[in-house]
Amino acid sequence: MAHSRTAKKNIRKSERRRLANRGRMSALRTQVKKVREALAEKDGAQAEAELPRAQKLIDKAAKAGRMHPNKAARLKSRMARRVSSVK
């Protein structure tokens, strides 16, 4: 257990950040899932509509350090390629 005031404050800060990151990553995964479900149903219009939202959340996660930039680029590329093939 932390003893100093700064250590206790750091614990509080890290908990707040953990919960915020968890929520944002959950939203990102949900959006990616919507794109994948639209692709599975061969619904090109729906997939095209959901893709920009997913890309925006992926970019934000990479910028904030919640996701490695290479993983973000890979996810976006693969999704875009699949969406364009369904058109």
Side-chain angles (χ1 to χ4, degrees), residues 15-70:
E15 179 64 14
R16 275 196 304 269
R17 290 172 181 168
R18 183 184 72 82
L19 292 174
N21 286 337
R22 185 176 175 191
R24 290 184 184 112
M25 287 302 289
S26 175
L28 184 151
R29 283 190 295 268
T30 301
Q31 191 61 40
V32 169
K33 211 177 288 185
K34 286 180 183 179
V35 174
R36 289 181 178 158
E37 287 171 358
L39 290 171
E41 295 170 2
K42 304 282 193 240
D43 189 355
Q46 179 68 24
E48 267 189 83
E50 298 291 348
L51 181 64
R53 294 185 200 118
Q55 288 177 331
K56 182 178 180 180
L57 289 173
I58 291 169
D59 284 335
K60 283 185 172 185
K63 183 178 180 183
R66 285 187 286 276
M67 175 185 288
H68 195 280
N70 290 355

